Amino acid sequence: MNPVLSAPASSAAATAWTGRYQAVRQQTEALCAPLLPEDTVVQPMLDVSPPKWHLAHTTWFFETFLLKEYGAGYQVFHPDYAYLFNSYYNSLGSRVNRADRGTISRPPLADVLAYRAYVDQAMAGLLAQAEELPAAFAEVMELGLQHEQQHQELLATDIKYILSTSPLAPAYLSEPSKGKSEELTERQGIADYNVQQLPSTLPEARFLPVPGGIYRIGFQERGFCFDNELAVHEVLLAPFELQNRLVTNGEYLAFMEAGGYRDFRYWMGEGWDLAQREGWEAPLYWVKQPEGWFRFTHHGLQPLSLAAPVTHISFYEADAYANWAGARLPTEQEWEAAARYFGAGTRGGTWVESQRFDPQPLPASADPASCHQLLGDCWEWTYSAYHAYPGYQRAAGALGEYNGKFMVNQLVLRGGSCATPESHARISYRNFFHADKRWQFTGIRLARSVNR
Amino acid sequence: MNPVLSAPASSAAATAWTGRYQAVRQQTEALCAPLLPEDTVVQPMLDVSPPKWHLAHTTWFFETFLLKEYGAGYQVFHPDYAYLFNSYYNSLGSRVNRADRGTISRPPLADVLAYRAYVDQAMAGLLAQAEELPAAFAEVMELGLQHEQQHQELLATDIKYILSTSPLAPAYLSEPSKGKSEELTERQGIADYNVQQLPSTLPEARFLPVPGGIYRIGFQERGFCFDNELAVHEVLLAPFELQNRLVTNGEYLAFMEAGGYRDFRYWMGEGWDLAQREGWEAPLYWVKQPEGWFRFTHHGLQPLSLAAPVTHISFYEADAYANWAGARLPTEQEWEAAARYFGAGTRGGTWVESQRFDPQPLPASADPASCHQLLGDCWEWTYSAYHAYPGYQRAAGALGEYNGKFMVNQLVLRGGSCATPESHARISYRNFFHADKRWQFTGIRLARSVNR
Amino acid sequence: MNPVLSAPASSAAATAWTGRYQAVRQQTEALCAPLLPEDTVVQPMLDVSPPKWHLAHTTWFFETFLLKEYGAGYQVFHPDYAYLFNSYYNSLGSRVNRADRGTISRPPLADVLAYRAYVDQAMAGLLAQAEELPAAFAEVMELGLQHEQQHQELLATDIKYILSTSPLAPAYLSEPSKGKSEELTERQGIADYNVQQLPSTLPEARFLPVPGGIYRIGFQERGFCFDNELAVHEVLLAPFELQNRLVTNGEYLAFMEAGGYRDFRYWMGEGWDLAQREGWEAPLYWVKQPEGWFRFTHHGLQPLSLAAPVTHISFYEADAYANWAGARLPTEQEWEAAARYFGAGTRGGTWVESQRFDPQPLPASADPASCHQLLGDCWEWTYSAYHAYPGYQRAAGALGEYNGKFMVNQLVLRGGSCATPESHARISYRNFFHADKRWQFTGIRLARSVNR
Amino acid sequence: MNPVLSAPASSAAATAWTGRYQAVRQQTEALCAPLLPEDTVVQPMLDVSPPKWHLAHTTWFFETFLLKEYGAGYQVFHPDYAYLFNSYYNSLGSRVNRADRGTISRPPLADVLAYRAYVDQAMAGLLAQAEELPAAFAEVMELGLQHEQQHQELLATDIKYILSTSPLAPAYLSEPSKGKSEELTERQGIADYNVQQLPSTLPEARFLPVPGGIYRIGFQERGFCFDNELAVHEVLLAPFELQNRLVTNGEYLAFMEAGGYRDFRYWMGEGWDLAQREGWEAPLYWVKQPEGWFRFTHHGLQPLSLAAPVTHISFYEADAYANWAGARLPTEQEWEAAARYFGAGTRGGTWVESQRFDPQPLPASADPASCHQLLGDCWEWTYSAYHAYPGYQRAAGALGEYNGKFMVNQLVLRGGSCATPESHARISYRNFFHADKRWQFTGIRLARSVNR
């Protein structure tokens, strides 16, 4: 981990840390507020962690890497929590198997919240003297905040999965805890979801040309990034075209209705086999009802918005769709080069809307000659394996396990989703999942080679 | 289901039902009182059901078989609960797969308790007019109470398993909810567990002769029994001997130390393979510590009492022990014949002690010429397959699935355990589990053929 | 193993051993004659062993228990064969896992046949001096022959399964090795199979009464038996009725057409779950074709004979059929008592016909007041667990593993099948399989309790 | 499939096809000559196909894509073979599941060889008129030959695996079929393997610099290539260094002895988990004996040559080794660029030696300033996912399934192995396997970034 930092260096710095720390920590708890204690224990599949575990694990991160390191005289909250809430750091000793996180009925949610309060109090003390701490402190402090924000996105998607597999499929943001949800709504500006307001028209899909040439890839901005974005390097790209917006549910439905799930020619072999074995006929969370297609969302079962971006698809489905559409997925280098070329600097004002945890349609008024929805709508599958950039070095110590050991067998996704904290939606960010995963907010952007 | 009943037939009857109903229902809730909501959702293995599920399923039984049948105008509490809390009745439609009971995060415990209260209230109304209801009502009413008591035993053993697999292995009857546990203790007479008081001497083990001849097998007493105890029939038994007490932890330890787990000659082939594959070296819940053997109990980890009956063993282990000891397990017919011969009518005063959920040593003062611990200590594995008695008939309708469809591939256990409600500890009671199961309070009583 | 023997005791004895030995050994090889080397290596499921393995294992039995024990100066054929061809004797050291028998490509069939010849030659020498050997020799010698005959039946059923799973499903007794098969036919009197000659009428099915009382169970005849038939003991049976013939394919088809495979009420719970999971809709080997039902047989795919006994069914199916038919399966005690009562002493002249490896219809002329098909048609599932008889003792040493360690979790079958060597079709013989097995020639005989 | 061809266009052409066809076909059969029929049926793991299947599948390829297409009046040898021997072409209908290839006991080897002869005869007729056939014929004809050569390599590695899992672990090239093997030896120049002649010294390992810049990647030579090598394109590479030879067994042993298999820090997370689960402690086929390390080879168990290249390692092990050695694996672009830069045009004279199916040590006399062992020793794992080159297009029809559908989740290997037919050992060749595969002749070449 070699994050690039402009570290705060004064009592203003301490204040800044304190404010950010509190904001991040409160946001995590706000995400869990609509849950009942029972919801926070369940692990319906290996990829999904119980929310209680997320709450504790992010806390363990601060305790382990900051308080035990820099907090003079700090006493751990509970000697067993390191065993319970270490995620995957072999450097830090044995731990509960990932597959067994659903057995952690104790400590109860109340104890985990007490753990959070205890660590928050100790952190408040530590941050008060942040200016006296070595530079390394700031690096890890920044990482702790970023790490917790990553878990906020996982919380959002794991909660969705947990509720969807609960036989009653309760909604996250309405019943049965209406009161709490309304509170959250007001506090965070989550308006009531209204599918009737979806636009009936969309800007036409258009392929926008990107010139060939040498592009610099990797984090080139100011502020924080993860180590996997570092090692800026140049790549040579042939000219190509990128579509101006994400593929919509309506377009994906056309693929389905054209028999896309029944025609092996569009599919990678392993994807085809998996789709047959699992009986895939639509994206995850889609449910066919007599009156049409619905999707399970954080707001319960909702009618499908044809104009909204398709999401909850695997790489295999994204790739098959692209083949059917006569296009392909971009590489991560193409995506990043294009994003810079089109000036997709920020997600802008759309993010709060997306906080509904449901990617929204592009407004009908959007200019089809511009490139839209690059940041903060859906994670866009690229056709690039998640490998180390040339020159990448794993950090020493436990934090060297943060990213490096995952750099094989997965694919890169770019752009951030409607569940991604805003400060994580940046051009150089590299998210990564296996080709079969569908529980994240994943989507499709088409690319095309230019025939020369 | 053809239970033998002496059904109440007046307003006294109604009162009797009401009192028994309340007592049974309260006992179930008292069992769950030391649990936190998070404990009640977890399903760590297929055999174990979440406590919340037990609480709801026993309620569903009354709702389905009594209120919907006899409660004029009764409205079900929630239309989906029949889907969630049906256990295995194919007659009653689709249901959550047994393996997926751990996904039922909602309804929360509070809703399940509200469900219980709602049904209890409706039942109170129904029971008030019990004398006007047809005879069939009393049969099913009795079954509902017996059924809930069966689940009380499962609750006790499932809770033990859940807490044991929780990585912190919390105690059921002390921390972390000391307050509640003390309350429970006072209410139910559960004295503080004191291993120091274990007797250091035991009545010697002795084989007691039982004469050969024709014995009547099956329920021959007054009151309730399950349909699998009916169809009383005669069997011809050769003379045999039964040991006067259960095998103790100390005796079992001798088997272990003599290499019992490493010598295939004592084992059934499938048991041996399983023991190797799973690495069995001791009963379930035994833990070796530097200072000696401990067991996980409802009171947390406790030192092994050498004088207490060995428990939490599979049939394979019971059988291997018997072979090693130069004896055998009794058949269920031998067990029942001997129990009647020795006059083991009731569990007597020992039951409250056993409510500690930990089988207790036989007092040193017990007469070695009598047969002890027949009822209410450990379920005793017999060498009899759980098959229908000759002349057994499955009942018509859904309740025909209660017992009959399980009558193959399992073995009969007799005698009741320290977790068995007292009214279920009777001579003719047939419990049954697969040969590999260890999470119940199962034990060993030796028998011997008489060489003629 | 305590076989009851009238052991030969002179040079006539030696001659008798030699003749029987040669006959048994040749029969095993004749069974494999229609096979190609490639057929003899395959293990399509755990229960099935490659024919080459059977050929070698039966030889290993003589080598291990007789030649190494009694053959002065005997040199084993190959030092590794004990590792390869030990079946399940833990006493005799490590061995190839049962699941891995299909990896034994070497030694090739030719080497295994050479192994047989080598052992046969050594056995010839040993048998020439049989009268000088201790009595124990005769016991094990007898067992070796009986053991090889048991494997002859397994060979017949394993070969059937192997050929049925070979994608081309070749016939055993015709193509592609017509020449060899004709040879075998002439040598063994196997006439060409002719389904047109099946009778169109059958004696009516009738329940024949058997009086209640005390019956002696176990081997009471002269000659050899296995140790699991010993410990003759008395049982008390209530009066019952047994059907006069086996259930036919036509009767079973009526069950199927009445929805027997779709109605859980007839099924044991575990059987129902298995049938659903595996999609069972008919017995093993049945294939529905446009022109009707066919069965895969040793003669390839053949039209279903409605009059022939149904076979290749699991216990679950046998039990479900009996429930549907308003009857039940007999216990093994009932079966044996009835067989003695009805005087079913021998299979008689029907066996050679049955050597076609296909159970034949009962002749239309058979007297419906007699009990038919008790020996040598199909193994009849009983509703008795395969447990030790009272007083059963495992033998010391490796041969103690022959039967005893399987005495749990399986069910007893009685009567022998069309693939059973004639000397194994006896009243007291106890075959045993798990409730789900279907690859043996298993069938159904109905019983009924008498309502008193 | 758009192979680049310089197709023969006259009767000389026909002659050329005929000669090449015969040579390729005979080589396949020569590879199988040391096998017994029994060896050719076995499938010990999913990746490995039975040799009989390879013999038939390569023949099916010619029958399906050439004879049925261009052979006027051609009658297929057997109507079911298309079902049996189609590998993975969904376009061509249903087929035996890959996992079930071990059940194909019939047709026997003799029939498969007859199938080969039948198709060879028909092909001879077709090739005699090759000049009259359309250009597309030549493309597919070339592909058929290349395809069969690919299967020759798989045969070599599958046979090795089959023999290694046969409990007796017989040698391919000596016993038990010495006669045949000697024949083969003379015919193919396979000298007797002599480990004593291994060199004790090796040229020192040295990193050779490769300048940065724009390189053209893909097939740029004359002759045949696969479609996955096409779409020549430019890449920009930073300067880097490549090691002058492969990593040796001795060097790998140092990694093992330094605890490489016990230190997670060197490993990809999924590789570490797999290695723990499977208990990996050395490359596949390594066996520790009292006298030191041995490897199972085509010549049976042989002492480890410290100077020979390490082989039979997964990507995970290659990558862990590189991390331990302070280096990394090259990308496939770096590998190809370096191979061109160093002029590694051909495998040269070393190939016949390598036909021993055992990678040989680099001669002590080799110049350490040159780059060695690039072609024909071991497949070198690269750190590049096997993805389509930019501009790659799947062919239409069944042959479009040849390469394209595998282009995800696997890694590229470069350079060819000692089992690779010479015409397949070329600079642009892209082999691909999953990261966990070890049964191919896979090895390690180190690379290093240049710190600027």
Side-chain angles (χ1 to χ4, degrees), chain B residues 43-94:
Chain B
Q43 181 179 37
M45 72 159 172
L46 188 64
D47 294 315
V48 164
S49 294
K52 196 176 67 179
W53 187 91
H54 286 293
L55 287 166
H57 164 69
T58 46
T59 305
W60 164 87
F61 194 99
F62 286 108
E63 181 176 68
T64 303
F65 294 110
L66 290 165
L67 292 173
K68 287 168 81 169
E69 199 70 26
Y70 303 102
Y74 176 75
Q75 298 292 320
V76 297
F77 181 72
H78 191 293
D80 290 327
Y81 280 20
Y83 171 71
L84 294 177
F85 300 122
N86 173 5
S87 51
Y88 53 69
Y89 296 87
N90 290 304
S91 313
L92 300 170
S94 69

Side-chain angles (χ1 to χ4, degrees), chain C residues 46-68:
Chain C
L46 187 65
D47 294 315
V48 163
S49 294
K52 197 175 68 178
W53 186 90
H54 285 293
L55 287 165
H57 165 69
T58 49
T59 305
W60 164 87
F61 194 98
F62 286 108
E63 182 176 68
T64 302
F65 293 110
L66 289 166
L67 292 173
K68 288 168 79 169

Side-chain angles (χ1 to χ4, degrees), chain B residues 90-91 214 234-236 264-270 272 315-316 319 323 383-388 390-391 394 401 404-411 434-435 449, chain C residues 90-91 214 234-236 264-270 272 315-316 319 323 383-388 390-391 394 401 404-411 434-435 449:
Chain B
N90 290 304
S91 313
I214 291 179
E234 294 183 331
V235 299
L236 175 62
F264 63 87
R265 290 174 306 159
Y266 306 127
W267 292 73
M268 289 290 174
E270 296 184 10
W272 176 251
F315 168 82
Y316 298 127
D319 177 68
N323 286 334
Y383 187 36
S384 290
Y386 177 56
H387 282 191
R394 290 194 198 183
E401 299 185 58
K405 71 183 183 186
F406 301 108
M407 289 179 165
V408 73
N409 298 338
Q410 308 198 40
L411 291 149
H434 291 92
S449 297
Chain C
N90 291 306
S91 313
I214 292 178
E234 294 183 330
V235 299
L236 175 62
F264 64 86
R265 290 175 305 159
Y266 305 127
W267 294 72
M268 289 291 174
E270 295 183 11
W272 176 252
F315 168 82
Y316 298 127
D319 177 68
N323 287 334
Y383 187 36
S384 289
Y386 178 55
H387 282 190
R394 289 194 198 185
E401 299 185 58
K405 72 184 182 186
F406 302 107
M407 289 178 166
V408 74
N409 298 340
Q410 307 199 39
L411 291 151
H434 291 92
S449 297

Side-chain angles (χ1 to χ4, degrees), chain B residues 207 239-243 325-330 334 446-450:
Chain B
F207 281 97
F240 66 98
E241 297 176 336
L242 197 72
Q243 211 165 54
R328 60 173 176 81
L329 301 179
E334 288 174 336
L446 298 180
R448 213 158 60 177
S449 297
V450 175

Side-chain angles (χ1 to χ4, degrees), chain B residues 271-348:
Chain B
W272 176 251
D273 293 345
L274 177 65
Q276 301 311 298
R277 203 163 57 237
E278 301 281 325
W280 286 358
E281 297 183 343
L284 181 64
Y285 296 134
W286 285 35
V287 181
K288 193 158 197 178
Q289 304 262 339
E291 61 273 39
W293 283 101
F294 281 66
R295 297 158 310 129
F296 180 77
T297 72
H298 282 79
H299 308 264
L301 212 58
Q302 297 289 350
L304 190 70
S305 157
L306 296 180
V310 65
T311 189
H312 294 301
I313 48 158
S314 63
F315 168 82
Y316 298 127
E317 289 159 299
D319 177 68
Y321 176 85
N323 286 334
W324 172 79
R328 60 173 176 81
L329 301 179
T331 65
E332 66 164 324
Q333 288 81 15
E334 288 174 336
W335 192 96
E336 182 170 335
R340 287 218 166 76
Y341 179 74
F342 293 126
T346 62
R347 184 156 55 176

Side-chain angles (χ1 to χ4, degrees), chain A residues 140-325:
Chain A
V140 182
M141 179 66 201
E142 182 67 44
L143 184 61
L145 295 173
Q146 300 283 344
H147 170 259
E148 181 142 350
Q149 287 183 309
Q150 290 184 308
H151 278 274
Q152 288 168 4
E153 174 151 9
L154 290 173
L155 265 170
T157 51
D158 288 2
I159 289 170
K160 182 171 183 176
Y161 195 85
I162 287 168
L163 296 179
S164 81
T165 51
S166 186
L168 297 184
Y172 169 67
L173 288 177
S174 38
E175 6 174 17
S177 46
K178 188 74 179 184
K180 271 187 192 161
S181 141
E182 276 168 4
E183 238 182 343
L184 185 76
T185 300
E186 284 165 26
R187 220 169 47 237
Q188 304 194 325
I190 303 172
D192 196 25
Y193 188 84
N194 187 341
V195 293
Q196 269 65 53
Q197 293 174 356
L198 297 180
S200 57
T201 61
L202 267 181
E204 65 162 341
R206 197 182 284 181
F207 280 98
L208 307 176
V210 181
I214 293 178
Y215 287 87
R216 282 175 68 79
I217 299 298
F219 183 70
Q220 302 156 47
E221 290 74 23
R222 295 183 59 80
F224 172 86
C225 75
F226 286 104
D227 61 352
N228 60 10
E229 303 166 61
L230 289 173
V232 173
H233 59 287
E234 293 183 333
V235 299
L236 175 61
L237 297 179
F240 65 99
E241 297 177 335
L242 197 72
Q243 209 164 55
N244 59 341
R245 59 167 173 76
L246 295 175
V247 170
T248 64
N249 286 322
E251 288 160 349
Y252 196 83
L253 196 56
F255 163 69
M256 288 164 55
E257 289 171 349
Y261 279 91
R262 295 188 305 276
D263 192 333
F264 65 86
R265 291 176 303 160
Y266 306 126
W267 292 72
M268 289 290 174
E270 296 184 10
W272 176 251
D273 293 345
L274 177 65
Q276 301 311 298
R277 205 163 55 239
E278 301 281 324
W280 286 357
E281 297 184 342
L284 181 64
Y285 296 133
W286 286 35
V287 181
K288 192 157 196 177
Q289 305 262 339
E291 61 271 40
W293 282 101
F294 282 66
R295 296 157 311 129
F296 180 78
T297 72
H298 283 80
H299 309 263
L301 211 58
Q302 298 288 350
L304 190 70
S305 157
L306 297 181
V310 67
T311 187
H312 293 302
I313 48 159
S314 63
F315 169 81
Y316 298 127
E317 289 160 297
D319 177 67
Y321 176 85
N323 286 334
W324 173 79

